[in-house]
């Protein structure tokens, strides 16, 4: 069979080969109408989609599949390279662009355990219990890899937001290393617009972090509640975005890239409407020795609607602080227009739009958006990082004159 092709290296159909069809939209699953049929009861009817565009082969997980793994890591989408292992259900499939020996074909087939949604739900059993030096009171939120509780720090006698990761998270060496590195880097950070991290650790099989408890609601909940027709004018977006930009200057000063700037990670405190950037569970500390990030290959975690183009590459492209600025631009955009700049019906469609399309100008929705503010937002949404505003500090410097001219800031 001509290269590239797929070969099954684990499961009931070991050694079966599939050609990599050119074009997009080729579905892999157990349904007879799938482009690639796998008779595995733990595989969904249409489990994932394979695109082959100009020699670049990409896999996209499909909603409700139960999970698609590349080299043992759960992904929403990922470009495939020679030798990568695609795991669906109990079936492992190797992607080949050149020959491999039999020993190489089977090497690494047994990857890390997939994150199990049921394990997250079981964390709710902590409610009412003592966990390390915290008394767990109630569930606040359920995330992709863990659960957030309201708890009392019994040493300091103060309420905290306690995030506990599911057991599988601590079993992944890269996840554990990234978590520890990011928490150590961010704990000294203190900024009025950043959720403070008080402490973190590992208790038994569980990684956890204790954070400032913000009584209020997420920006995502506010957007959903008021709807696109009820979005406030541009001044609301400006005020929130400026505070977030200031918070990002603090994270970068401490060597941390947030990687999940989106409405769900932005909290509005009820008492004074202060803006707080949280959601640091996906953050990464930079590696000064290599000037790169501690990335896990083929990873795509977080809210896809607000990801930068480089984030959608699944860990194959360097992601730095400019990715956070793209995501902040997407937050600006949704606050100005009531919709994310690049939204598709499924994650795969969203990724394609992020990489290839340009959104309508915000003034088409809000005619009174100042041209200078709109220009800043669109620069943040540039496809290539070098075309964006380079740092959060520069962004603050560009936003503040706009705010002063509009009477939103003191001269």
């Amino acid at each position: 069979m001509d290269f590239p092709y797929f070969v099954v290296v684990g499961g009931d159909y070991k050694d079966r080969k599939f050609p990599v069809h050119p074009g997009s939209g080729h579905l892999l699953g157990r349904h007879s109408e799938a482009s690639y049929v796998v008779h595995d009861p733990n595989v969904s009817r249409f489990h994932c989609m394979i695109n082959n565009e100009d020699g670049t082969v990409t896999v996209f997980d499909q909603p409700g599949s139960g999970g698609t793994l590349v080299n043992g890591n759960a992904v929403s989408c990922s470009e495939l390279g020679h030798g990568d292992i695609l795991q669906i259900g109990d079936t492992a499939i190797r992607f080949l662009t050149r020959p491999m020996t039999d020993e190489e074909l089977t090497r690494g087939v047994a990857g890390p355990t997939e994150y199990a949604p049921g394990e997250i739900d079981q964390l709710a059993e902590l409610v009412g219990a003592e966990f390390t030096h915290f008394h767990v009171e109630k569930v606040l939120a359920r995330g992709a890899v863990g659960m957030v509780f309201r708890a009392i720090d019994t040493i300091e006698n103060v309420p905290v937001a306690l995030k506990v990761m599911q057991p599988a998270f601590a079993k992944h060496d890269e996840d554990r290393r990234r978590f520890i590195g990011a928490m150590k880097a961010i704990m000294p950070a203190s900024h009025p617009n950043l959720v403070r991290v008080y402490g973190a650790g590992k208790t038994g099989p569980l990684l956890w972090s204790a954070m400032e408890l913000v009584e209020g609601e997420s920006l995502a909940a506010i957007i959903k509640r008021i709807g696109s027709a009820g979005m406030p004018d541009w001044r609301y977006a400006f005020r929130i975005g400026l505070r977030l930009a200031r918070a990002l200057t603090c994270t970068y000063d401490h060597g941390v890239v947030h990687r999940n700037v989106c409405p769900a990670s932005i909290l509005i405190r009820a008492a004074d409407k202060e803006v707080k950037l949280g959601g640091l569970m996906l953050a990464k500390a930079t590696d000064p020795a290599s000037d790169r990030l501690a990335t896990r290959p083929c990873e795509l975690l977080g809210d896809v609607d607000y990801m930068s183009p480089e984030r959608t590459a699944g860990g194959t492209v360097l992601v730095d602080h400019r990715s956070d600025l793209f995501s902040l631009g997407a937050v600006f955009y949704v606050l100005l227009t009531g919709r994310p700049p690049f939204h598709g019906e499924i994650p795969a469609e969203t990724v394609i739009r992020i990489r290839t399309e340009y959104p309508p100008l915000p003034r088409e929705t809000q005619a009174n958006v100042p041209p200078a503010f709109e220009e800043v937002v669109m620069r943040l949404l540039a496809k290539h990082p070098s075309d964006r505003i380079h740092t959060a500090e520069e962004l603050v410097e560009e936003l503040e004159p706009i705010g002063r001219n509009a009477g939103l800031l003191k001269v």
Side-chain angles (χ1 to χ4, degrees):
M1 181 173 292
D2 294 334
F3 294 104
Y5 64 82
F6 295 109
V7 58
V8 179
V9 293
D12 292 340
Y13 289 83
K14 193 171 181 296
D15 298 326
R16 184 176 179 181
K17 297 178 181 178
F18 303 95
V20 180
H21 304 308
S24 60
H26 303 295
L27 293 168
L28 168 60
R30 58 182 171 81
H31 196 282
S32 60
E33 295 182 3
S35 302
Y36 309 100
V37 179
V38 176
H39 299 288
D40 180 339
N42 292 317
V43 168
S44 297
R45 294 190 307 158
F46 299 110
H47 201 102
C48 58
M49 182 174 68
I50 307 292
N51 288 355
N52 181 9
E53 300 285 355
D54 299 323
T56 299
V57 178
T58 309
V59 59
F60 297 89
D61 185 46
Q62 296 298 286
S65 69
T68 297
L69 281 69
V70 175
N71 298 332
N73 300 307
V75 302
S76 293
C77 82
S78 176
E79 291 183 11
L80 297 179
H82 171 71
D84 283 346
I85 298 176
L86 175 64
Q87 180 87 36
I88 57 171
D90 295 328
T91 303
I93 303 170
R94 179 87 71 173
F95 172 67
L96 299 181
T97 61
R98 58 183 182 272
M100 263 190 167
T101 66
D102 290 343
E103 180 183 355
E104 290 172 330
L105 281 174
T106 57
R107 187 180 301 158
V109 172
T113 304
E114 178 183 358
Y115 293 146
E119 286 195 1
I120 301 177
D121 295 334
Q122 290 173 11
L123 292 174
E125 297 174 2
L126 291 173
V127 173
E130 303 298 317
F131 179 77
T132 181
H133 60 285
F134 302 100
H135 176 71
V136 182
E137 293 187 333
K138 65 178 181 179
V139 175
L140 294 178
R142 182 190 187 282
V145 292
M147 192 168 282
V148 182
F149 303 90
R150 189 187 196 280
I152 299 296
D153 183 330
T154 57
I155 297 176
E156 301 293 335
N157 195 30
V158 294
V160 298
L162 179 69
K163 175 118 186 201
V164 182
M165 319 302 279
Q166 65 162 297
F169 192 89
K171 295 176 184 177
H172 288 263
D173 289 340
E174 286 299 315
D175 282 339
R176 186 169 59 251
R177 180 169 64 87
R178 180 190 66 199
F179 176 85
I180 293 171
M183 292 301 102
K184 283 183 176 179
I186 203 65
M187 274 192 283
S190 178
H191 190 276
N193 299 118
L194 187 67
V195 173
R196 186 73 186 266
V197 177
Y198 297 134
K202 184 174 183 290
T203 300
L206 303 175
L207 287 166
W208 57 268
S209 66
M211 299 164 287
E212 173 187 0
L213 180 65
V214 179
E215 302 281 7
E217 61 182 334
S218 71
L219 188 59
I222 293 173
I223 292 171
K224 183 177 180 180
R225 174 164 49 80
I226 64 180
S228 59
M231 293 305 296
D233 73 7
W234 70 273
R235 295 171 182 82
Y236 182 75
F238 177 88
R239 291 189 181 98
I240 288 179
L242 177 59
R243 285 161 174 77
L244 294 173
R246 289 170 174 166
L248 288 176
T249 63
C250 180
T251 64
Y252 303 157
D253 285 345
H254 286 81
V256 172
V257 177
H258 191 285
R259 299 196 319 140
N260 193 29
V261 177
C262 64
S265 66
I266 299 162
L267 303 174
I268 309 299
R269 191 162 57 196
D272 56 5
K273 306 303 178 186
E274 186 59 279
V275 179
K276 294 279 190 175
L277 177 61
L280 286 158
M281 292 305 100
L282 299 184
K284 286 183 177 176
T286 55
D287 181 357
S290 64
D291 196 32
R292 294 183 65 83
L293 298 178
T295 50
R296 182 176 68 170
C298 306
E299 177 184 57
L300 191 62
L301 296 173
D303 193 326
V304 179
D305 278 341
Y306 298 89
M307 286 185 181
S308 65
E310 58 270 28
R311 278 286 317 280
T312 68
T316 63
V317 176
L318 175 65
V319 174
D320 61 18
H321 61 275
R322 293 169 296 182
S323 176
D324 285 347
L325 296 180
F326 180 98
S327 298
L328 179 53
V331 171
F332 273 127
Y333 193 93
V334 73
L335 290 173
L336 291 170
T337 67
R339 60 184 182 278
F342 310 101
H343 179 69
E345 294 300 319
I346 58 175
E349 183 182 347
T350 300
V351 167
I352 292 171
R353 290 183 174 179
I354 288 171
R355 293 177 176 179
T356 62
E357 295 184 4
Y358 294 88
L361 294 173
R363 76 181 70 164
E364 296 182 21
T365 301
Q366 282 205 47
N368 65 340
V369 177
F373 183 37
E374 180 180 72
E375 191 265 343
V376 166
V377 173
M378 299 309 289
R379 280 171 59 201
L380 292 173
L381 293 174
K383 301 298 182 190
H384 197 279
S386 63
D387 295 327
R388 299 173 202 149
I389 296 170
H390 297 302
T391 67
E393 186 176 7
E394 288 183 20
L395 175 58
V396 171
E397 291 174 355
E398 294 210 21
L399 289 174
E400 286 182 341
I402 298 172
R404 284 194 292 269
N405 290 337
L408 300 177
L409 300 175
K410 293 181 180 179
V411 178

